[in-house]
Amino acid sequence: MAIYHCSAKPVSRSGGRSAVLAIAYRTASLLTNERDGLTHDFTAKKGVVHSEIVLPDDVEADWALDRSALWNAAERAERRRDSRVAREFEIALPHELSADARLSLARAFAQDLADRYGAAVDFAIHVPQGKSDIRNVHAHVMMTTREVAPDRLGEKTMIERENRWLLANGLPTSHMQMRDIRKAFADHANRHLLEAGLDIRVDHRSHLDRGLELSPTEHMGVHASQMERRGLDVSRARLEDKAAKKNADLIRRKPEEVLRILTDEKSVFDRHDIARTIHRYINDNDGFQRAFAAVMASPQLVELMPAQNSKLAKYSTREMISVEHTMAASSLRMAERNSHGVSTNKIDQALRRQDAMLGGSGLTDEQRTAARHITSPTQIAAVIGFAGAGKSTMLSAAREAWEAQGYRVHGAALAGKAAEGLTTSSGIAARTLASWEYGWNHGRHKLGQNDILVIDEAGMVASRQLARFVAEAEKRGAKLVLVGDHEQLQAISAGSPFRAIAERIGSVELTDIRRQ
C-alpha cells in the first residue's frame, strides 16, 4: 500500500545549518560555501540516484541551474545570523511506481513549487541502502526562500512572509499554504499511480480529518530500536506500544476503521492489503492476528471474486458497492433525461467560429462528433480522448454553443493545475472539486437547471467524490459532462467510477493526436 508523506522544515542559520551544506549532502555533491569558506564534500555518499534543479516556467534564469551559484546566492541574500536560507520538503515516492515514474513525480512536485512561488527548487531522490526497508524511496526537495530572477534572487516568496502581513493582504497564512502543498503532492502522487495502472490512492488528510479513531504510529528507527533492545528507556517506544495496544482493541471492536482506510486508497483489495494496513497500527503478533480475524469476519467485507485459493480473492465493502451502485443508477436516469437541448444552428455556428480561429483544416470529424455529443439534450455525457487529441478545442466550441443557448458553463478538476488548464485552454471558468464542495457545504455556488458542469480529468476522481457530484447534479437538475484521458480510462483494473459511468451511458472517443 502506498504511504503518504510530505513534510517541511526550514534550513536556518539559527540551527547551525547552511543552504550550501544542506544541498551538498542531499545531492551527494562537492560545494564550497563562499560565506564561510568551508568546503563540503559528500561525493562518496551512497543512495542518491538523481538530482536536478527546476525553475519557474516563465523565468529565464540559466545562472540558477548552477548548484553552487544558486545556493551561494541564497546565502548572500540573507544578512541576519538567524536567517532562514532555504525551505526543505521531504516526500515519500510510492515504491509501487517504477524508477522513471518516481522521477516524474518528484519533478512534477518540484515544478509545482517553482511555479507556485516563483522560486528555484533543487531536488534529490534517495533510495535505501544496506538493511533499510527497500520501500523507503524518497526525495528531498529544497526551495529558495526568495523568488528567482534572471540575474539574482529577489523578494521573499509568499510562504516565507509573516502571517500578519499575509492576512493584511488577503493572502493565506503559511499554515494554510502548507495544507495546500500537502494536498497538491497527494494529487501528483495519485495521478502517477493512476497512470501506472495501479488501483491505489494516497490521502493527505489526518486521521482526525477523515473521522478515524485509530492512532497513527511511527517506526522507532534503528537507533531507538537498538536502545530498547539494550534495555534503555525509549519514551517514544512506550508511546508506540501504548498506541498499538489501543489500536488492536479498537480494530477488534470496529473493524470498519481498517476497511475505511483501505477503500480510501483502493476500491478493491485482497488479504495482503488488509494485512499490510493492520500492520501499520499493530506491532505485536497476537494483536495482529486477532485484528486480522476481526476484519475478515466483518459483515461490511464483501468478497467480489471467489477464488479456489482464498489468498487470491478480491474484496470490497458494502458501503463502497452501495456508493457505486447508487452512482450508476443516477447516471442512467440522467442519461434518459433530455433537459439541456441546444439548437442545431447554435452548435453549427460555434463549430464554424472554432474552424475560423484554428485556420487550416479546422476541427477534425472526431472533434465535431464529440462537440455534438456533449451538447446533446441528455443530462449527462462523457468524452474520452488521448492527450493531444484536441479535447480542449472541442470543449471551447461546446462552451460557445451552450452559452449562446443561455446556459452557464462551469468547470471542475481534482487538481488546481488541471482546473487552471481547463480555464486557459477552453475558456470554461474552473475550480477544484474541493472548492466546489466547500462552497456547497456553506450554501454557495449551488448548481441549477440552467448550469453545465464540466469535470476534466474525471478518470482521476475517486468513487466517493465523483458519486457526490453525480448526486448533486441530478438533485439540482444541472447537466454533468465528464471528460477523461484514454490512459486514465484504461489504467484502473478495478473500481474506476469514470469508466463505469462511461460504459453505462455511452461515450465518444478522440483518438487522433493533434496538438492545437
Side-chain angles (χ1 to χ4, degrees):
M1 304 290 282
I3 302 298
Y4 176 86
H5 177 76
C6 176
S7 62
K9 61 184 176 183
V11 178
S12 177
R13 286 179 186 152
S14 63
R17 305 179 72 194
S18 77
V20 175
L21 168 60
I23 202 63
Y25 181 77
R26 301 291 182 260
T27 60
S29 302
L30 187 155
L31 296 174
T32 298
N33 187 344
E34 296 168 1
R35 182 170 176 269
D36 58 20
L38 294 177
T39 296
H40 308 287
D41 184 359
F42 294 103
T43 52
K45 178 177 169 58
K46 304 294 185 183
V48 180
V49 295
H50 183 89
S51 63
E52 179 180 333
I53 297 171
V54 297
L55 304 177
D57 280 336
D58 59 351
V59 174
E60 291 289 338
D62 288 346
W63 70 270
L65 296 175
D66 182 299
R67 184 164 284 128
S68 177
L70 174 64
W71 295 108
N72 274 297
E75 289 287 346
R76 285 194 302 272
E78 309 301 338
R79 303 293 185 186
R80 294 170 47 174
R81 286 184 296 179
D82 61 348
S83 292
R84 179 178 295 171
V85 289
R87 181 176 289 266
E88 180 183 11
F89 299 85
E90 185 177 290
I91 55 175
L93 301 175
H95 70 92
E96 295 89 347
L97 294 175
S98 67
D100 286 345
R102 289 194 291 262
L103 171 57
S104 175
L105 170 55
R107 183 180 287 139
F109 178 63
Q111 190 67 59
D112 189 331
L113 288 175
D115 292 340
R116 186 184 297 252
Y117 291 107
V121 180
D122 198 348
F123 73 90
I125 296 176
H126 291 196
V127 298
Q129 298 293 297
K131 296 181 179 180
S132 300
D133 190 333
I134 61 171
R135 297 170 298 178
N136 185 27
V137 184
H138 59 280
H140 294 273
V141 184
M142 264 181 58
M143 181 172 74
T144 58
T145 59
R146 294 178 178 271
E147 296 175 356
V148 63
D151 58 352
R152 60 187 176 83
L153 292 177
E155 297 297 320
K156 286 282 191 181
T157 60
M158 187 170 66
I159 199 170
E160 303 301 335
R161 300 276 189 169
E162 291 185 357
N163 285 334
R164 182 172 54 186
W165 183 91
L166 291 168
L167 291 171
N169 286 274
L171 297 170
T173 64
S174 57
H175 176 75
M176 295 164 67
Q177 292 178 60
M178 189 60 211
R179 184 179 61 196
D180 290 342
I181 290 170
R182 285 175 52 79
K183 182 183 183 303
F185 176 64
D187 291 341
H188 285 299
N190 286 331
R191 177 190 298 273
H192 281 77
L193 288 164
L194 181 70
E195 290 173 351
L198 298 167
D199 181 19
I200 305 172
R201 296 288 188 277
V202 296
D203 197 319
H204 69 287
R205 297 172 299 167
S206 68
H207 280 35
L208 182 63
D209 289 341
R210 293 162 70 181
L212 296 169
E213 296 180 45
L214 284 170
S215 301
T217 57
E218 299 177 1
H219 293 294
M220 283 190 291
V222 62
H223 299 299
S225 298
Q226 290 170 351
M227 289 173 64
E228 186 186 40
R229 282 196 295 269
R230 293 199 304 268
L232 299 177
D233 180 55
V234 182
S235 58
R236 192 171 75 175
R238 292 204 311 272
L239 291 174
E240 293 294 330
D241 286 343
K242 184 177 179 180
K245 289 182 173 65
K246 177 184 173 184
N247 286 336
D249 180 62
L250 179 63
I251 292 172
R252 286 197 298 273
R253 290 186 290 107
K254 295 183 177 180
E256 61 272 13
E257 290 264 313
V258 171
L259 296 175
R260 177 58 193 263
I261 292 170
L262 278 162
T263 53
D264 278 350
E265 298 172 359
K266 305 182 72 169
S267 300
V268 176
F269 48 89
D270 58 25
R271 292 169 62 91
H272 294 294
D273 296 325
I274 295 171
R276 280 192 289 265
T277 301
I278 294 173
H279 185 63
R280 293 187 208 170
Y281 301 95
I282 300 175
N283 56 13
D284 72 280
N285 186 60
D286 289 343
F288 172 86
Q289 293 296 339
R290 288 194 292 271
F292 183 80
V295 173
M296 294 303 298
S298 170
Q300 286 297 314
L301 187 68
V302 178
E303 186 175 355
L304 298 177
M305 291 175 270
Q308 290 182 345
N309 185 344
S310 62
K311 293 182 179 179
L312 302 178
K314 298 292 184 181
Y315 301 92
S316 188
T317 64
R318 295 189 187 281
E319 184 251 353
M320 181 58 69
I321 291 170
S322 175
V323 165
E324 294 182 344
H325 281 182
T326 300
M327 179 171 54
S330 293
S331 301
L332 288 172
R333 287 193 297 270
M334 293 168 71
E336 295 170 358
R337 191 172 298 131
N338 294 324
S339 55
H340 290 76
V342 180
S343 72
T344 301
N345 183 49
K346 288 183 171 59
I347 297 172
D348 290 341
Q349 288 178 353
L351 293 174
R352 284 196 295 270
R353 280 194 295 271
Q354 200 63 228
D355 283 337
M357 290 174 62
L358 291 172
S361 58
L363 293 166
T364 66
D365 290 341
E366 279 189 341
Q367 288 173 312
R368 294 174 187 278
T369 299
R372 294 185 187 281
H373 173 71
I374 63 174
T375 54
S376 66
T378 58
Q379 195 187 353
I380 189 170
V383 62
I384 304 154
F386 287 104
K391 294 191 295 293
S392 298
T393 309
M394 177 275 299
L395 285 172
S396 183
R399 174 188 56 79
E400 285 193 36
W402 281 320
E403 290 177 344
Q405 192 69 37
Y407 294 114
R408 296 182 303 175
V409 187
H410 315 279
L414 187 65
K417 200 172 184 74
E420 291 171 11
L422 178 61
T423 301
T424 303
S425 62
S426 68
I428 298 173
R431 297 197 303 277
T432 63
L433 298 175
S435 175
W436 276 104
E437 291 196 274
Y438 181 85
W440 293 341
N441 292 336
H442 290 79
R444 300 196 300 271
H445 312 308
K446 295 288 187 181
L447 298 173
Q449 296 180 357
N450 201 42
D451 290 307
I452 313 283
L453 180 61
V454 178
I455 298 182
D456 196 14
E457 297 195 340
M460 296 288 296
V461 187
S463 294
R464 287 192 184 94
Q465 188 168 37
L466 189 57
R468 292 194 293 270
F469 276 79
V470 171
E472 185 73 12
E474 183 183 30
K475 176 182 175 182
R476 303 289 175 181
K479 175 161 183 161
L480 187 64
V481 178
L482 304 177
V483 181
D485 289 345
H486 193 275
E487 289 85 351
Q488 293 172 0
L489 186 72
Q490 299 297 325
I492 302 302
S493 59
S496 171
F498 172 52
R499 183 176 63 188
I501 290 175
E503 288 175 349
R504 284 168 172 79
I505 68 172
S507 62
V508 166
E509 293 194 21
L510 295 170
T511 59
D512 291 338
I513 307 301
R514 186 184 184 198
R515 294 288 180 186
Q516 296 170 322

